[in-house]
Amino acid sequence: MPLDLPPDEAATLRRGEGPAVQIDLIQTMIFHAAVAALRLGVFSALERGPRELGALAGELAVDEANLRALLRLLVTGGYLAEGEDGYERTPAGAWLAGPDDGFGAVLDFWHSLIGGLWQGLEETVRTGKPQRDFYAWLQERPDVLTGFQGVQLRIAEWLEEEVLELAGPPGEPARLLDLGGGHARYSLAYCRRHLGLSATVLDLPEALEPGRAAVEDAGLAERFTFLPGDLRTAEAPGGQDVVLLFNVLHGFPADTARALVGRAAGALRPGGRLIVMETLPDPVGSVREEAFTRGFDLNLIHTQGGRLHPVETIAGWMEAAGCGSVERRDLTRSAAFCLLVADREG
Ligand SMILES: C[S@@+](CC[C@H](N)C(=O)[O-])C[C@H]1O[C@@H](n2cnc3c(N)ncnc32)[C@H](O)[C@@H]1O
């Protein structure tokens, strides 16, 4: 939450009469404090009503004096308020509960990512080469991997209905291939809508576990095949009616992303449909969305050698791979994402 600076104090910083970047430093401290409070259970305790400091410290079994320092920073940061009955959540703080709930899960994951992998950013910019390997790093941290998968799943739950409306398959499909489909939420949605459809999900071995569990829970295991492997090299089954490439291309540099589009198109039968979902490099939304997208792009560049590829570039790769007349379909639920849909010529 932005510090609630009085207008005259903000104006002096805008005029360069003080170090405006100190506000970002303070926001970084507040970000760390908010995540610590999430992990300690501060927000979920206050969800049940205001608490005096001593009662809250007792309930959370934490050091009272240190909790006070944490809470005071969060009051300044706009997440908590101190009233007659003790500490309580502000409307901004009401977005946070536990590290596994709602936006708290998103915050918890990004905290681990930025705290763990953003060191050495200047080297990535200097050398043009990523300094980190996001997926290798995740593999060594099962809790963060679970958090990452949880964030992807939440986004899919939010978008899937509109995705199906905007990008249906051609006719009544029998075979769908979900490249980098991990949690399998999108494949499941297509399979629920098209009863004759079977799906193959190809992803890294550890990424397939949530998908397997979800498909079992849905009672659709017999219609699913899970293929552990590397997208760049694994043998993918051909003759597909639909291939999904959802939120995958941004994890790779342009030459690899282009090759992946070629592999995806190559797995289609003639007349089969390639559907790509990607984050737009320049979403037409709020300042918040634009700023987050720019940070996300830098994160991709630094942690995995990827980037947000322009939509026109991806459409060009699809056409070059034999999928003509690419149609762009924008999601209304989020200005950050768009779909590209094209059928394989043949
Ligand atoms: C951002 S997630 C998108 C997941 C899902 N398609 C969605 O849209 O919600 C990227 C997915 O690509 C997978 N992935 C990344 N690199 C991969 C590789 N080299 N081989 C196979 N899968 C990979 C990840 O494990 C992850 O499941």
Side-chain angles (χ1 to χ4, degrees):
M1 175 74 174
L3 278 180
D4 200 5
L5 290 181
D8 57 337
E9 198 176 332
T12 57
L13 295 178
R14 286 210 179 82
R15 286 197 300 270
E17 292 165 11
V21 73
Q22 190 188 14
I23 303 303
D24 295 312
L25 167 63
I26 296 163
Q27 292 291 167
T28 305
M29 292 170 172
I30 294 170
F31 175 56
H32 279 266
V35 173
L38 264 180
R39 293 175 180 165
L40 289 169
V42 169
F43 293 106
S44 39
L46 297 182
E47 210 175 2
R48 300 188 290 277
R51 295 283 194 299
E52 296 291 352
L53 175 67
L56 187 59
E59 193 175 327
L60 302 178
V62 300
D63 182 87
E64 185 174 323
N66 291 354
L67 178 65
R68 179 168 179 272
L70 183 75
L71 299 184
R72 275 163 50 84
L73 179 56
L74 291 172
V75 168
T76 305
Y79 291 108
L80 298 180
E82 208 176 346
E84 279 180 5
D85 299 323
Y87 289 96
E88 59 191 359
R89 298 188 307 172
T90 61
W95 276 83
L96 302 171
D100 303 323
D101 300 322
F103 202 75
V106 175
L107 205 64
D108 188 66
F109 165 69
W110 274 97
H111 183 270
S112 301
L113 179 57
I114 291 176
L117 283 187
W118 273 46
Q119 299 299 321
L121 183 57
E122 60 280 10
E123 275 307 300
T124 293
V125 175
R126 186 177 293 128
T127 61
K129 295 195 175 66
Q131 303 298 301
R132 307 290 169 149
D133 182 340
F134 175 61
Y135 287 100
W137 178 81
L138 274 185
Q139 209 179 350
E140 291 163 10
R141 291 165 182 78
D143 289 351
V144 187
L145 174 62
T146 302
F148 171 65
Q149 290 164 341
V151 170
Q152 303 307 315
L153 183 62
R154 278 189 182 83
I155 297 171
E157 287 167 355
W158 173 40
L159 298 180
E160 64 178 355
E161 191 185 357
E162 193 176 16
V163 167
L164 258 75
E165 291 307 318
L166 292 175
E172 261 317 307
R175 305 183 71 200
L176 177 147
L177 175 64
D178 191 356
L179 294 172
H183 52 69
R185 182 80 194 190
Y186 291 111
S187 312
L188 262 173
Y190 279 96
C191 282
R192 284 199 179 99
R193 182 160 298 184
H194 300 278
L195 299 181
L197 186 61
S198 294
T200 301
V201 184
L202 196 165
D203 207 310
L204 299 170
E206 57 280 2
L208 291 174
E209 293 315 315
R212 278 205 184 89
V215 160
E216 286 282 344
D217 284 352
L220 293 179
E222 75 284 356
R223 289 166 62 192
F224 272 78
T225 304
F226 288 92
L227 270 186
D230 190 315
L231 284 169
R232 294 164 290 190
T233 50
E235 198 66 45
Q240 302 290 332
D241 297 298
V242 185
V243 175
L244 309 182
L245 207 41
F246 282 8
N247 305 306
V248 165
L249 297 177
H250 62 231
F252 298 94
D255 52 349
T256 311
R258 181 190 169 101
L260 286 177
V261 169
R263 286 170 70 81
L268 287 167
R269 65 162 169 80
R273 185 159 295 170
L274 176 57
I275 310 175
V276 174
M277 191 196 304
E278 265 308 331
T279 301
L280 294 162
D282 292 302
V284 184
S286 57
V287 171
R288 176 165 62 95
E289 201 140 28
E290 180 189 88
F292 180 78
T293 302
R294 291 181 179 186
F296 182 46
D297 190 34
L298 190 58
N299 173 68
L300 293 168
I301 289 170
H302 175 55
T303 67
Q304 49 208 284
R307 65 181 56 242
L308 294 178
H309 305 289
V311 171
E312 306 71 34
T313 304
I314 299 174
W317 296 337
M318 293 168 75
E319 280 164 14
C323 294
S325 308
V326 180
E327 282 186 33
R328 170 178 167 167
R329 298 178 189 164
D330 289 343
L331 293 161
T332 59
R333 283 192 186 178
S334 166
F337 295 92
C338 93
L339 294 160
L340 294 174
V341 183
D343 293 345
R344 182 175 162 182
E345 291 153 352

